[in-house]
Amino acid sequence: MKIHSRQVVLSAAGLVAVAAIIGLPAVSAKEHQEAPTGQTLFTENFKGAGTTLDLWRSQSPRGGVGPCLTAATSPPAGSLPACPTARHDRPGRGAVQLTDNSRDVSGVLLLDRPIPTSAGLRISFDMFQYGRNTTLGADGMALFVVGGKQRRVVSGKPGGSLGYRGMKGGILGVGLDAFGGFSRPTSDGPDGPGRRRNSVVVRGAEVNGNRYLGGVRAPVPLSVATTNRSKARRTVVVELSPTGLLAVRVDFHDGKGSRTLLADADLNVLPGQPVLPPTVKLGFAAATGGQTDVHALSDLRVATLPPDLFTTVTPPPGPLKAGGSAVFTVRVGDRSNAGPASAPVSSTTEIPSPLRVVSATGPGWRCRTTGQRVACARQGRPLRPGRTHPPIPIRVS
Protein backbone atom coordinates (compact mmCIF):
# COMPACT_ATOMS: atom_id res chain seq x y z
CA MET A 1 0.00 0.00 0.00
CA LYS A 2 1.48 3.36 -0.97
CA ILE A 3 0.93 6.19 1.49
CA HIS A 4 0.79 9.77 0.30
CA SER A 5 1.45 12.70 2.62
CA ARG A 6 1.49 16.42 2.23
CA GLN A 7 3.60 18.70 4.39
CA VAL A 8 2.04 21.94 5.55
CA VAL A 9 4.43 24.83 6.31
CA LEU A 10 3.14 25.98 9.67
CA SER A 11 6.07 25.28 11.94
CA ALA A 12 9.04 22.95 12.05
CA ALA A 13 6.55 20.11 12.43
CA GLY A 14 4.81 18.77 9.39
CA LEU A 15 1.54 16.97 8.82
CA VAL A 16 1.40 13.27 8.02
CA ALA A 17 -1.79 11.49 7.02
CA VAL A 18 -2.12 7.76 6.83
CA ALA A 19 -4.96 5.74 5.31
CA ALA A 20 -5.19 2.03 5.86
CA ILE A 21 -7.58 -0.85 5.75
CA ILE A 22 -8.33 -1.88 9.29
CA GLY A 23 -6.33 -4.97 10.11
CA LEU A 24 -3.33 -3.91 8.01
CA PRO A 25 -0.43 -2.09 9.66
CA ALA A 26 -0.33 1.66 9.07
CA VAL A 27 2.98 3.17 7.99
CA SER A 28 4.34 6.68 7.77
CA ALA A 29 5.30 8.26 4.48
CA LYS A 30 8.97 7.35 4.99
CA GLU A 31 8.44 3.70 5.84
CA HIS A 32 8.04 0.79 3.41
CA GLN A 33 5.41 -1.93 3.39
CA GLU A 34 5.09 -4.82 0.95
CA ALA A 35 1.92 -4.57 -1.12
CA PRO A 36 -0.89 -6.66 0.37
CA THR A 37 -1.94 -9.68 -1.63
CA GLY A 38 -5.43 -10.27 -2.96
CA GLN A 39 -7.67 -13.28 -2.53
CA THR A 40 -6.49 -16.38 -4.39
CA LEU A 41 -9.06 -17.52 -6.96
CA PHE A 42 -7.25 -20.39 -8.69
CA THR A 43 -3.87 -22.13 -8.75
CA GLU A 44 -2.35 -24.82 -10.99
CA ASN A 45 1.37 -25.58 -10.99
CA PHE A 46 1.43 -28.05 -13.94
CA LYS A 47 4.46 -29.72 -12.35
CA GLY A 48 3.00 -33.13 -11.56
CA ALA A 49 1.43 -36.11 -13.29
CA GLY A 50 -2.00 -34.50 -13.69
CA THR A 51 -3.99 -31.26 -13.59
CA THR A 52 -7.28 -30.15 -12.07
CA LEU A 53 -9.80 -32.47 -13.70
CA ASP A 54 -12.16 -31.29 -16.43
CA LEU A 55 -11.13 -27.63 -16.31
CA TRP A 56 -8.51 -27.38 -19.03
CA ARG A 57 -9.27 -27.31 -22.75
CA SER A 58 -6.36 -27.65 -25.18
CA GLN A 59 -5.94 -27.38 -28.91
CA SER A 60 -3.11 -27.77 -31.40
CA PRO A 61 -4.71 -26.90 -34.75
CA ARG A 62 -1.55 -26.95 -36.83
CA GLY A 63 0.07 -30.16 -35.66
CA GLY A 64 3.18 -30.61 -33.61
CA VAL A 65 3.14 -31.59 -29.95
CA GLY A 66 0.25 -29.60 -28.50
CA PRO A 67 -0.42 -28.66 -24.87
CA CYS A 68 0.80 -31.53 -22.68
CA LEU A 69 2.39 -32.26 -19.31
CA THR A 70 6.12 -32.87 -19.27
CA ALA A 71 6.04 -34.81 -15.97
CA ALA A 72 3.08 -37.06 -16.81
CA THR A 73 3.21 -40.56 -18.23
CA SER A 74 -0.36 -41.78 -17.64
CA PRO A 75 -2.44 -38.84 -16.37
CA PRO A 76 -5.98 -39.48 -15.09
CA ALA A 77 -9.01 -38.99 -17.30
CA GLY A 78 -10.00 -35.33 -17.38
CA SER A 79 -6.42 -34.12 -17.03
CA LEU A 80 -4.22 -32.60 -19.68
CA PRO A 81 -2.38 -35.35 -21.60
CA ALA A 82 1.22 -36.44 -21.23
CA CYS A 83 3.82 -35.21 -23.68
CA PRO A 84 4.77 -38.02 -26.11
CA THR A 85 8.47 -37.84 -25.37
CA ALA A 86 10.83 -40.63 -24.42
CA ARG A 87 12.13 -38.74 -21.41
CA HIS A 88 9.79 -37.06 -18.92
CA ASP A 89 10.46 -34.68 -16.06
CA ARG A 90 10.34 -35.98 -12.52
CA PRO A 91 6.93 -35.38 -10.85
CA GLY A 92 7.05 -32.00 -9.14
CA ARG A 93 9.51 -30.57 -11.67
CA GLY A 94 7.40 -30.46 -14.80
CA ALA A 95 5.52 -27.83 -16.79
CA VAL A 96 2.78 -27.63 -19.38
CA GLN A 97 4.23 -27.42 -22.89
CA LEU A 98 2.22 -25.34 -25.35
CA THR A 99 4.33 -26.11 -28.42
CA ASP A 100 7.40 -28.11 -29.24
CA ASN A 101 10.11 -26.64 -31.48
CA SER A 102 8.53 -27.71 -34.76
CA ARG A 103 8.01 -25.10 -37.45
CA ASP A 104 4.62 -23.42 -38.06
CA VAL A 105 2.74 -24.88 -35.10
CA SER A 106 0.53 -23.35 -32.42
CA GLY A 107 -1.02 -24.45 -29.15
CA VAL A 108 -3.89 -23.05 -27.08
CA LEU A 109 -4.75 -23.75 -23.45
CA LEU A 110 -8.00 -22.49 -21.87
CA LEU A 111 -9.00 -22.49 -18.21
CA ASP A 112 -12.69 -23.33 -18.58
CA ARG A 113 -13.85 -21.56 -15.42
CA PRO A 114 -15.53 -18.13 -15.28
CA ILE A 115 -13.52 -15.79 -13.05
CA PRO A 116 -15.11 -12.62 -11.63
CA THR A 117 -13.55 -9.28 -12.56
CA SER A 118 -15.21 -6.98 -10.00
CA ALA A 119 -12.14 -7.03 -7.74
CA GLY A 120 -9.62 -7.01 -10.59
CA LEU A 121 -7.19 -9.78 -11.47
CA ARG A 122 -3.54 -10.49 -10.70
CA ILE A 123 -2.31 -13.36 -12.92
CA SER A 124 1.17 -14.72 -12.26
CA PHE A 125 3.01 -17.61 -13.91
CA ASP A 126 6.45 -18.87 -14.87
CA MET A 127 7.13 -18.76 -18.62
CA PHE A 128 9.76 -20.68 -20.58
CA GLN A 129 10.79 -19.98 -24.20
CA TYR A 130 13.81 -22.13 -25.05
CA GLY A 131 15.06 -25.15 -26.99
CA ARG A 132 15.17 -23.55 -30.44
CA ASN A 133 16.53 -25.62 -33.32
CA THR A 134 16.80 -22.60 -35.62
CA THR A 135 18.94 -19.48 -35.67
CA LEU A 136 16.47 -17.35 -33.73
CA GLY A 137 13.87 -18.11 -31.07
CA ALA A 138 10.26 -17.66 -32.18
CA ASP A 139 7.61 -16.73 -32.08
CA GLY A 140 6.31 -16.19 -28.57
CA MET A 141 3.47 -16.69 -26.10
CA ALA A 142 0.33 -14.75 -25.20
CA LEU A 143 -1.91 -14.60 -22.16
CA PHE A 144 -5.44 -14.03 -23.43
CA VAL A 145 -8.84 -13.17 -21.98
CA VAL A 146 -12.26 -14.13 -23.37
CA GLY A 147 -15.77 -13.66 -21.97
CA GLY A 148 -16.84 -15.84 -19.08
CA LYS A 149 -19.79 -17.26 -21.04
CA GLN A 150 -17.68 -18.38 -24.02
CA ARG A 151 -17.67 -22.17 -24.22
CA ARG A 152 -15.11 -22.83 -26.92
CA VAL A 153 -11.86 -21.20 -27.95
CA VAL A 154 -10.18 -21.76 -31.29
CA SER A 155 -6.62 -20.68 -31.91
CA GLY A 156 -6.02 -17.48 -33.80
CA LYS A 157 -3.34 -17.09 -36.42
CA PRO A 158 0.04 -18.79 -35.83
CA GLY A 159 3.49 -17.29 -36.25
CA GLY A 160 3.74 -13.63 -35.24
CA SER A 161 0.08 -13.52 -34.22
CA LEU A 162 1.02 -15.86 -31.35
CA GLY A 163 -2.22 -17.78 -31.72
CA TYR A 164 -4.20 -14.80 -30.38
CA ARG A 165 -4.82 -12.39 -33.27
CA GLY A 166 -8.01 -13.49 -34.96
CA MET A 167 -9.16 -15.60 -32.00
CA LYS A 168 -12.97 -15.50 -31.89
CA GLY A 169 -14.20 -13.78 -28.76
CA GLY A 170 -10.78 -12.55 -27.69
CA ILE A 171 -10.98 -9.49 -25.41
CA LEU A 172 -7.34 -8.96 -24.51
CA GLY A 173 -4.00 -10.44 -25.50
CA VAL A 174 -0.70 -9.82 -23.71
CA GLY A 175 2.08 -10.97 -26.01
CA LEU A 176 5.46 -12.11 -24.69
CA ASP A 177 6.95 -11.81 -28.12
CA ALA A 178 10.46 -13.09 -28.81
CA PHE A 179 10.48 -12.68 -32.60
CA GLY A 180 8.55 -9.40 -32.80
CA GLY A 181 5.67 -10.20 -35.14
CA PHE A 182 2.95 -9.34 -32.59
CA SER A 183 3.75 -5.65 -33.17
CA ARG A 184 3.42 -5.84 -36.96
CA PRO A 185 0.38 -4.48 -38.81
CA THR A 186 -1.67 -6.99 -40.80
CA SER A 187 -4.42 -6.72 -43.40
CA ASP A 188 -7.16 -7.34 -40.82
CA GLY A 189 -5.54 -5.25 -38.10
CA PRO A 190 -3.45 -2.54 -39.78
CA ASP A 191 -1.91 -0.97 -36.70
CA GLY A 192 1.33 -1.39 -34.82
CA PRO A 193 4.86 -0.02 -35.12
CA GLY A 194 6.30 -2.93 -37.08
CA ARG A 195 8.29 -5.91 -35.94
CA ARG A 196 9.94 -5.41 -32.57
CA ARG A 197 11.84 -8.36 -31.22
CA ASN A 198 11.88 -9.23 -27.54
CA SER A 199 8.84 -7.15 -26.62
CA VAL A 200 5.86 -7.23 -24.28
CA VAL A 201 2.86 -6.13 -26.34
CA VAL A 202 -0.83 -5.57 -25.59
CA ARG A 203 -3.59 -5.97 -28.16
CA GLY A 204 -7.32 -5.52 -27.78
CA ALA A 205 -10.44 -7.42 -28.72
CA GLU A 206 -11.19 -9.45 -31.83
CA VAL A 207 -14.27 -7.29 -32.53
CA ASN A 208 -12.06 -4.22 -33.07
CA GLY A 209 -9.40 -6.03 -35.10
CA ASN A 210 -7.11 -6.74 -32.13
CA ARG A 211 -5.93 -3.15 -32.10
CA TYR A 212 -2.43 -2.39 -30.88
CA LEU A 213 -2.48 -0.70 -27.46
CA GLY A 214 1.22 -0.52 -26.71
CA GLY A 215 4.44 -2.38 -26.19
CA VAL A 216 7.90 -2.14 -24.70
CA ARG A 217 11.16 -3.95 -25.35
CA ALA A 218 12.23 -6.28 -22.56
CA PRO A 219 15.61 -5.45 -20.99
CA VAL A 220 16.57 -9.15 -20.95
CA PRO A 221 15.78 -11.77 -23.63
CA LEU A 222 12.40 -13.48 -23.32
CA SER A 223 13.72 -16.46 -25.29
CA VAL A 224 16.92 -18.26 -24.30
CA ALA A 225 19.18 -20.34 -26.55
CA THR A 226 19.37 -23.32 -24.19
CA THR A 227 17.90 -26.77 -23.86
CA ASN A 228 17.76 -26.36 -20.08
CA ARG A 229 14.26 -25.16 -19.26
CA SER A 230 15.13 -23.81 -15.81
CA LYS A 231 17.58 -21.32 -17.33
CA ALA A 232 14.78 -19.84 -19.42
CA ARG A 233 12.50 -19.12 -16.45
CA ARG A 234 10.73 -15.77 -16.53
CA THR A 235 8.14 -14.96 -13.85
CA VAL A 236 5.36 -12.83 -15.32
CA VAL A 237 2.72 -10.87 -13.41
CA VAL A 238 -0.20 -9.30 -15.27
CA GLU A 239 -2.59 -7.05 -13.35
CA LEU A 240 -5.96 -6.02 -14.77
CA SER A 241 -8.04 -3.56 -12.77
CA PRO A 242 -11.86 -3.36 -12.83
CA THR A 243 -11.46 0.00 -14.57
CA GLY A 244 -9.55 -1.55 -17.51
CA LEU A 245 -5.99 -0.54 -16.57
CA LEU A 246 -3.27 -3.09 -17.27
CA ALA A 247 0.22 -3.59 -15.85
CA VAL A 248 2.88 -6.18 -16.72
CA ARG A 249 5.92 -7.03 -14.61
CA VAL A 250 8.62 -9.61 -15.36
CA ASP A 251 11.28 -11.11 -13.12
CA PHE A 252 14.12 -12.41 -15.29
CA HIS A 253 15.81 -14.05 -12.29
CA ASP A 254 19.00 -12.15 -12.90
CA GLY A 255 19.24 -10.75 -9.39
CA LYS A 256 17.47 -7.49 -10.21
CA GLY A 257 14.00 -8.52 -9.09
CA SER A 258 10.68 -7.91 -10.81
CA ARG A 259 10.63 -5.03 -13.30
CA THR A 260 7.58 -3.11 -14.42
CA LEU A 261 7.50 -3.11 -18.22
CA LEU A 262 3.99 -1.74 -18.72
CA ALA A 263 2.01 0.34 -16.24
CA ASP A 264 -1.52 1.73 -16.44
CA ALA A 265 -2.07 0.73 -20.06
CA ASP A 266 -5.68 1.85 -20.55
CA LEU A 267 -7.83 -0.53 -22.60
CA ASN A 268 -10.58 2.09 -22.70
CA VAL A 269 -8.69 4.23 -25.22
CA LEU A 270 -8.98 1.55 -27.92
CA PRO A 271 -11.84 2.34 -30.34
CA GLY A 272 -14.55 -0.31 -30.12
CA GLN A 273 -12.96 -2.10 -27.16
CA PRO A 274 -15.73 -3.84 -25.17
CA VAL A 275 -16.17 -3.16 -21.48
CA LEU A 276 -14.64 -5.83 -19.27
CA PRO A 277 -17.49 -8.32 -18.60
CA PRO A 278 -18.47 -9.46 -15.07
CA THR A 279 -16.64 -12.76 -15.62
CA VAL A 280 -13.86 -13.86 -17.95
CA LYS A 281 -11.95 -16.99 -18.88
CA LEU A 282 -8.17 -17.02 -19.13
CA GLY A 283 -5.92 -18.89 -21.48
CA PHE A 284 -2.49 -19.12 -23.06
CA ALA A 285 -1.47 -19.42 -26.69
CA ALA A 286 1.91 -19.93 -28.34
CA ALA A 287 3.17 -20.29 -31.87
CA THR A 288 6.22 -20.89 -34.03
CA GLY A 289 6.89 -19.97 -37.64
CA GLY A 290 10.02 -20.35 -39.74
CA GLN A 291 11.98 -19.92 -36.50
CA THR A 292 11.14 -22.00 -33.43
CA ASP A 293 11.14 -22.41 -29.65
CA VAL A 294 9.63 -24.73 -27.11
CA HIS A 295 6.95 -22.76 -25.21
CA ALA A 296 5.94 -23.83 -21.71
CA LEU A 297 4.60 -22.49 -18.44
CA SER A 298 4.14 -23.47 -14.79
CA ASP A 299 3.01 -22.13 -11.41
CA LEU A 300 -0.14 -20.31 -12.49
CA ARG A 301 -1.86 -18.27 -9.79
CA VAL A 302 -4.95 -16.10 -10.25
CA ALA A 303 -5.93 -13.68 -7.48
CA THR A 304 -7.89 -10.52 -6.96
CA LEU A 305 -6.16 -7.14 -6.84
CA PRO A 306 -5.70 -5.65 -3.37
CA PRO A 307 -6.82 -2.06 -2.82
CA ASP A 308 -4.23 0.72 -2.94
CA LEU A 309 -5.46 3.46 -0.63
CA PHE A 310 -4.02 6.95 -0.40
CA THR A 311 -4.70 10.04 1.68
CA THR A 312 -4.50 13.66 0.61
CA VAL A 313 -4.67 16.61 2.99
CA THR A 314 -5.65 20.04 1.73
CA PRO A 315 -4.48 22.83 4.06
CA PRO A 316 -6.39 26.06 4.53
CA PRO A 317 -5.47 28.84 2.08
CA GLY A 318 -3.01 31.44 3.28
CA PRO A 319 -1.15 31.76 6.58
CA LEU A 320 -2.82 31.14 9.92
CA LYS A 321 -2.83 33.94 12.47
CA ALA A 322 -2.72 33.65 16.24
CA GLY A 323 -6.23 33.38 17.67
CA GLY A 324 -7.74 32.36 14.36
CA SER A 325 -9.20 29.08 13.11
CA ALA A 326 -9.03 27.10 9.91
CA VAL A 327 -10.06 23.80 8.30
CA PHE A 328 -7.87 21.01 6.94
CA THR A 329 -9.68 18.71 4.49
CA VAL A 330 -8.68 15.03 4.48
CA ARG A 331 -9.67 12.71 1.63
CA VAL A 332 -9.16 8.95 1.39
CA GLY A 333 -9.26 7.34 -2.05
CA ASP A 334 -8.43 4.13 -3.90
CA ARG A 335 -6.23 4.20 -6.98
CA SER A 336 -7.73 3.40 -10.37
CA ASN A 337 -5.32 0.53 -11.04
CA ALA A 338 -6.17 -1.31 -7.80
CA GLY A 339 -8.92 -3.52 -6.44
CA PRO A 340 -11.86 -2.24 -4.35
CA ALA A 341 -11.48 -1.59 -0.63
CA SER A 342 -14.21 -3.77 0.83
CA ALA A 343 -12.98 -3.75 4.45
CA PRO A 344 -13.69 -0.92 6.95
CA VAL A 345 -11.36 1.98 6.23
CA SER A 346 -9.48 4.12 8.73
CA SER A 347 -7.65 7.43 8.40
CA THR A 348 -5.22 8.91 10.93
CA THR A 349 -4.06 12.52 10.69
CA GLU A 350 -1.42 14.21 12.83
CA ILE A 351 -2.03 17.94 13.31
CA PRO A 352 1.19 19.86 14.05
CA SER A 353 1.64 21.87 17.23
CA PRO A 354 0.78 24.61 18.24
CA LEU A 355 -2.56 24.03 16.53
CA ARG A 356 -5.43 22.57 18.57
CA VAL A 357 -8.13 20.32 17.08
CA VAL A 358 -11.60 21.79 17.59
CA SER A 359 -13.68 19.22 15.69
CA ALA A 360 -13.41 16.45 13.11
CA THR A 361 -16.29 14.83 11.31
CA GLY A 362 -17.47 13.83 7.85
CA PRO A 363 -20.39 11.96 6.23
CA GLY A 364 -20.13 8.30 7.26
CA TRP A 365 -16.99 8.85 9.35
CA ARG A 366 -16.64 8.37 13.11
CA CYS A 367 -13.69 10.37 14.46
CA ARG A 368 -11.82 10.49 17.77
CA THR A 369 -9.24 13.12 18.77
CA THR A 370 -6.33 12.28 21.08
CA GLY A 371 -4.01 15.23 21.50
CA GLN A 372 -2.79 16.15 18.03
CA ARG A 373 -4.00 12.93 16.44
CA VAL A 374 -7.34 12.55 14.67
CA ALA A 375 -8.37 8.92 14.01
CA CYS A 376 -11.44 8.33 11.82
CA ALA A 377 -13.08 5.11 10.62
CA ARG A 378 -16.02 4.23 8.43
CA GLN A 379 -18.06 1.16 7.55
CA GLY A 380 -20.48 1.04 4.66
CA ARG A 381 -20.11 0.24 1.01
CA PRO A 382 -16.82 -0.79 -0.62
CA LEU A 383 -14.69 1.95 -2.08
CA ARG A 384 -14.41 1.40 -5.82
CA PRO A 385 -11.14 1.97 -7.69
CA GLY A 386 -10.69 5.55 -8.81
CA ARG A 387 -13.12 6.88 -6.20
CA THR A 388 -12.78 8.72 -2.88
CA HIS A 389 -14.83 8.62 0.30
CA PRO A 390 -16.59 11.80 1.46
CA PRO A 391 -14.06 14.28 2.89
CA ILE A 392 -13.20 14.75 6.57
CA PRO A 393 -13.04 18.45 7.55
CA ILE A 394 -10.76 18.97 10.58
CA ARG A 395 -11.26 22.37 12.25
CA VAL A 396 -8.30 23.70 14.20
CA SER A 397 -7.55 26.80 16.25
Side-chain angles (χ1 to χ4, degrees):
M1 180 184 303
K2 295 180 180 178
I3 306 301
H4 277 203
S5 67
R6 179 169 183 172
Q7 193 170 42
V8 183
V9 182
L10 297 171
S11 65
L15 181 150
V16 175
V18 173
I21 300 177
I22 292 177
L24 296 176
V27 297
S28 74
K30 293 184 179 180
E31 293 176 328
H32 175 73
Q33 178 188 6
E34 290 299 324
T37 57
Q39 176 189 0
T40 298
L41 301 176
F42 182 81
T43 61
E44 186 82 75
N45 64 28
F46 300 109
K47 292 182 175 180
T51 51
T52 305
L53 301 184
D54 299 320
L55 276 186
W56 292 101
R57 306 289 178 259
S58 62
Q59 183 193 33
S60 183
R62 297 177 64 87
V65 177
C68 59
L69 299 175
T70 65
T73 53
S74 55
S79 169
L80 288 173
C83 291
T85 54
R87 183 177 179 181
H88 291 84
D89 292 321
R90 292 174 56 185
R93 297 187 179 182
V96 59
Q97 181 178 292
L98 299 178
T99 74
D100 62 6
N101 56 6
S102 302
R103 284 182 168 87
D104 299 309
V105 297
S106 62
V108 175
L109 187 64
L110 174 71
L111 174 58
D112 196 9
R113 170 185 284 181
I115 297 175
T117 60
S118 59
L121 294 175
R122 174 178 283 168
I123 307 155
S124 63
F125 55 95
D126 281 349
M127 171 195 73
F128 310 91
Q129 300 189 49
Y130 70 106
R132 68 186 69 162
N133 56 16
T134 52
T135 305
L136 300 173
D139 269 275
M141 295 173 54
L143 165 70
F144 65 82
V145 174
V146 298
K149 295 182 179 180
Q150 187 161 328
R151 295 184 177 181
R152 185 168 176 262
V153 171
V154 178
S155 174
K157 296 179 180 179
S161 292
L162 306 186
Y164 173 70
R165 294 177 79 170
M167 176 184 289
K168 296 296 182 183
I171 294 174
L172 165 68
V174 180
L176 302 156
D177 187 14
F179 195 66
F182 205 54
S183 296
R184 293 182 62 183
T186 63
S187 58
D188 59 344
D191 62 338
R195 191 173 78 178
R196 288 186 173 178
R197 292 179 181 170
N198 199 50
S199 296
V200 176
V201 180
V202 179
R203 285 193 174 272
E206 180 254 342
V207 295
N208 68 10
N210 302 126
R211 287 179 178 268
Y212 179 89
L213 177 60
V216 62
R217 293 185 190 272
V220 176
L222 297 168
S223 169
V224 180
T226 178
T227 57
N228 186 332
R229 188 176 65 235
S230 64
K231 293 183 178 180
R233 180 186 174 206
R234 307 287 186 258
T235 299
V236 181
V237 177
V238 177
E239 294 182 343
L240 179 60
S241 78
T243 58
L245 297 180
L246 185 81
V248 182
R249 300 194 302 274
V250 181
D251 188 343
F252 296 92
H253 298 283
D254 57 356
K256 297 184 179 180
S258 182
R259 304 180 218 186
T260 299
L261 302 186
L262 287 171
D264 296 340
D266 191 354
L267 292 170
N268 303 297
V269 304
L270 292 176
Q273 179 70 18
V275 175
L276 199 65
T279 63
V280 296
K281 292 181 180 179
L282 308 175
F284 297 88
T288 68
Q291 305 289 325
T292 70
D293 258 329
V294 175
H295 299 93
L297 66 102
S298 68
D299 291 293
L300 171 66
R301 180 178 181 266
V302 183
T304 61
L305 282 181
D308 189 0
L309 298 179
F310 65 93
T311 296
T312 60
V313 181
T314 304
L320 300 183
K321 297 181 180 180
S325 65
V327 174
F328 291 93
T329 303
V330 177
R331 289 180 173 84
V332 177
D334 189 22
R335 301 191 190 284
S336 297
N337 59 1
S342 57
V345 172
S346 69
S347 173
T348 302
T349 307
E350 297 280 354
I351 299 297
S353 178
L355 299 179
R356 181 177 65 87
V357 178
V358 176
S359 64
T361 185
W365 292 98
R366 298 181 64 182
C367 299
R368 171 196 276 181
T369 300
T370 305
Q372 303 300 111
R373 174 172 293 185
V374 178
C376 301
R378 66 177 290 125
Q379 303 281 342
R381 297 179 178 178
L383 180 60
R384 296 175 59 187
R387 303 290 181 88
T388 59
H389 280 308
I392 307 170
I394 302 177
R395 182 169 292 278
V396 301
S397 65

